[in-house]
Amino acid sequence: MKSLNFILKQHTPIIHFQHLQGGATLRSTEVKSKLDRFLIKEYELVEEVIIDGKAKKIPKEKSKNLFINDGKQHLALDYKLSFENISNTEKFFLSSFPYSRNNQTNRKELVQNDLKAIYVHETQYFANNENLKPNEIINKDSVKLGLLQDTIQGKIVTYNSELQEYISTKLESFFLLDNFGSRQSKGFGCYTVKSINGKTVTFNEEILLEQFAAVYKNALKVKDIVLALQEISSIYMLLKSGRGSKSKQGYKKSLLFRYFVSLSNPVRWEKRILKQNIKRPYFQSRNKSGAYENIELKYTNDPCYNNSNDMNWNDIPSAYNYQYIRALLGLAESYEFATNDIDNFSYKYYIKVKSNNGIERFKSPITIKYIDGAIYFCANGIDSCILNNAENPVSFNFDKKLKKDNALQSGRDNETLDFVQNLETPSSFNIGDFLDFAFNRDDEKISNMTLLKNSLLK
């Protein structure tokens, strides 16, 4: 039996569903399935055959001995993998909210004193942490934490010396290609190999470039991990959703929006048509006088971007081509829109996203790596399953619901199903061209991003 021992260095917290359990660390089940797929692709270990009229992938004849049961049941390589934390564990309470919102000061004290965790605001982790009540934080029932362990020991055991050689040769590349846990594409769960069988491994940027077709690097070193997570969130927010008017840096339009309206055949994003239809009609609530009052969107004077200062909501005579473009950078389950308060009650419009084609999840094609103070934005093209065309129709419906003080309201007066229907995604999208636009070409480009590689440019 052959044993391969390696040490991993963890750079960012992993969002772990077992974070409250002692000894929780990188999950071997998640890593092995990814490592299997990576090795199978790298070494071309399988071939596609037609069986009973259906395409099926099976091990190549020369590779059968590398698979469990010769790959007859499923394509799992024949080795065992385990991880053990051999350093202290730091806990991180992650929030997407700014520190100034919703009494976050008191929440920070609870987190530090009762959870013994580092409070990190304005990250790319959108869960329910920021809305938890004090007793929920103290009881830990609903809290989700990130775990950071500087040094993790990995062990791979196999009877096959050829397979062991394959793994040891590609282990460094594999951990540079993938992150792990929840929200992994946003930089969480980032690891590099520190040593293999006692031999020191030093991070090599060139190997990172080999794994991705497009790589941009933040020219500013960010040594503090909290600041790094916030910087990642700030950049990604500008790429996908834009920056709100309440931000300390001020309002800024989404670069994805700007990219699509700059095309020769401009495309409008879904946010505008969702807002238009939220208003047709608004939900209502009784005020103190007993009269019904419209629950209006808080920001209704959103600029109509057409290379002018037009600030109205009216579409031009020839209707805009609306498409669901934010799905290209990761499919959300829902969106929320802020409204004006009524008699000290807080409301939101909750928009549920529903696929018409069975697409429930779609990971962002951008992978963010944070290694030794450097932030990398990387991409390898986009999975065509999210692109709409005649052979692969992709569209979405949206439900409109009402939230009152962060609680979904029931009843027909607080819900309109399919209030926007059959909104299609674009038929094409070059992620490399978009990143070049966002980091290099646009008038409102994100500064301090250095091009290391972009072979996706046409």
Side-chain angles (χ1 to χ4, degrees):
M1 182 175 287
K2 306 291 182 180
S3 178
L4 187 153
N5 297 285
F6 59 97
I7 301 294
L8 296 177
K9 180 179 180 179
Q10 185 176 355
H11 298 273
T12 57
I14 184 171
I15 302 171
H16 201 303
F17 76 101
Q18 294 175 318
H19 60 88
L20 294 178
Q21 296 183 14
T25 187
L26 196 59
R27 292 170 54 234
S28 57
T29 51
E30 178 188 4
V31 179
K32 186 177 187 302
S33 62
K34 286 186 173 183
L35 181 54
D36 281 2
R37 290 194 295 270
F38 177 78
L39 293 170
I40 288 169
K41 182 178 179 181
E42 284 289 302
Y43 290 104
E44 299 179 347
L45 302 178
V46 302
E47 60 185 348
E48 191 170 281
V49 298
I50 304 299
I51 300 177
D52 297 329
K54 295 182 179 180
K56 184 179 179 181
K57 290 182 179 179
I58 63 170
K60 291 181 178 178
E61 189 64 34
K62 65 177 182 178
S63 307
K64 284 183 178 181
N65 66 315
L66 303 179
F67 291 83
I68 296 173
N69 195 26
D70 291 342
K72 292 176 181 176
Q73 294 176 330
H74 55 279
L75 295 176
L77 292 171
D78 195 5
Y79 64 92
K80 292 183 178 180
L81 172 66
S82 61
F83 292 102
E84 180 185 1
N85 173 38
I86 54 175
S87 62
N88 294 326
T89 298
E90 282 187 294
K91 298 178 182 179
F92 290 77
F93 182 95
L94 304 163
S95 167
S96 62
F97 278 14
Y99 181 56
S100 59
R101 279 183 64 183
N102 283 21
N103 200 20
Q104 296 295 302
T105 304
N106 293 342
R107 187 169 277 104
K108 180 178 180 179
E109 292 175 357
L110 280 173
V111 166
Q112 291 175 332
N113 295 333
D114 290 88
L115 297 181
K116 309 300 181 187
I118 298 170
Y119 180 95
V120 191
H121 58 95
E122 295 176 278
T123 73
Q124 276 291 305
Y125 183 52
F126 303 99
N128 196 40
N129 279 348
E130 49 271 303
N131 294 318
L132 294 178
K133 297 175 182 177
N135 67 299
E136 292 176 306
I137 293 177
I138 294 171
N139 295 333
K140 304 178 183 178
D141 293 334
S142 304
V143 175
K144 293 183 176 64
L145 298 177
L147 305 179
L148 182 67
Q149 300 152 339
D150 180 68
T151 307
I152 294 150
Q153 183 172 282
K155 185 176 184 179
I156 290 172
V157 177
T158 179
Y159 285 99
N160 192 304
S161 57
E162 180 184 11
L163 181 56
Q164 184 194 41
E165 178 64 21
Y166 281 172
I167 295 172
S168 63
T169 303
K170 291 295 182 179
L171 202 60
E172 182 183 2
S173 299
F174 167 70
F175 278 101
L176 288 178
L177 177 65
D178 258 312
N179 295 331
F180 302 90
S182 297
R183 303 293 286 173
Q184 56 193 252
S185 65
K186 306 306 182 296
F188 295 104
C190 178
Y191 300 78
T192 56
V193 177
K194 199 172 180 180
S195 69
I196 299 177
N197 284 340
K199 184 178 180 180
T200 300
V201 176
T202 304
F203 167 63
N204 184 347
E205 199 173 77
E206 288 301 316
I207 296 179
L208 179 70
L209 300 184
E210 290 173 4
Q211 299 308 307
F212 292 97
V215 181
Y216 289 80
K217 179 181 180 180
N218 193 325
L220 303 176
K221 284 277 187 178
V222 187
K223 289 293 186 181
D224 184 276
I225 190 169
V226 171
L227 296 178
L229 293 173
Q230 292 172 335
E231 180 68 8
I232 287 169
S233 182
S234 176
I235 295 172
Y236 198 83
M237 189 180 298
L238 289 175
L239 289 176
K240 185 174 181 180
S241 60
R243 197 165 57 207
S245 58
K246 281 193 172 183
S247 169
K248 289 182 292 187
Q249 294 87 6
Y251 177 85
K252 200 164 186 180
K253 204 70 175 174
S254 155
L255 282 155
L256 187 67
F257 169 92
R258 292 178 61 83
Y259 176 75
F260 273 93
V261 297
S262 73
L263 298 177
S264 56
N265 294 310
V267 172
R268 292 281 174 164
W269 71 344
E270 71 289 338
K271 186 175 179 180
R272 178 179 170 89
I273 197 169
L274 290 175
K275 281 189 172 183
Q276 287 176 330
N277 283 277
I278 284 172
K279 302 167 77 168
R280 300 172 182 163
Y282 281 127
F283 291 138
Q284 294 185 325
S285 178
R286 282 184 184 272
N287 56 28
K288 288 181 180 178
S289 66
Y292 282 98
E293 186 175 337
N294 283 337
I295 303 172
E296 296 185 349
L297 289 167
K298 196 160 193 174
Y299 309 105
T300 57
N301 199 28
D302 204 0
C304 173
Y305 182 86
N306 55 4
N307 294 319
S308 74
N309 291 320
D310 184 4
M311 297 287 285
N312 66 63
W313 276 87
N314 300 322
D315 283 351
I316 55 178
S318 58
Y320 290 138
N321 180 20
Y322 285 104
Q323 292 181 341
Y324 187 14
I325 66 172
R326 276 188 292 181
L328 301 175
L329 295 188
L331 185 57
E333 293 181 357
S334 62
Y335 297 104
E336 292 185 354
F337 292 93
T339 71
N340 294 321
D341 295 345
I342 297 178
D343 296 335
N344 297 321
F345 285 112
S346 172
Y347 294 93
K348 291 178 183 175
Y349 282 102
Y350 174 88
I351 309 303
K352 177 67 176 175
V353 181
K354 302 187 305 183
S355 170
N356 292 326
N357 313 97
I359 301 175
E360 301 298 331
R361 293 181 179 273
F362 182 75
K363 180 181 174 182
S364 173
I366 299 172
T367 296
I368 302 167
K369 310 290 289 189
Y370 173 66
I371 303 171
D372 297 337
I375 298 171
Y376 300 87
F377 278 68
C378 315
N380 266 331
I382 188 167
D383 192 326
S384 61
C385 73
I386 198 67
L387 301 175
N388 175 66
N389 54 62
E391 292 75 29
N392 180 52
V394 180
S395 68
F396 294 81
N397 286 7
F398 301 81
D399 294 342
K400 177 174 73 172
K401 300 183 180 183
L402 185 66
K403 269 190 170 183
K404 182 178 181 180
D405 291 340
N406 286 314
L408 276 172
Q409 303 299 291
S410 59
R412 288 185 298 175
D413 292 339
N414 301 314
E415 178 181 82
T416 304
L417 301 180
D418 300 321
F419 83 111
V420 172
Q421 299 181 28
N422 301 320
L423 198 60
E424 298 174 346
T425 58
S427 59
S428 63
F429 179 57
N430 185 321
I431 183 66
D433 189 59
F434 166 64
L435 290 176
D436 183 66
F437 173 89
F439 295 146
N440 183 39
R441 301 199 311 261
D442 189 49
D443 291 341
E444 297 186 17
K445 67 183 180 183
I446 297 172
S447 59
N448 299 317
M449 297 301 292
T450 302
L451 168 66
L452 299 185
K453 176 185 180 181
N454 195 339
S455 59
L456 297 173
L457 290 174
K458 294 180 179 178

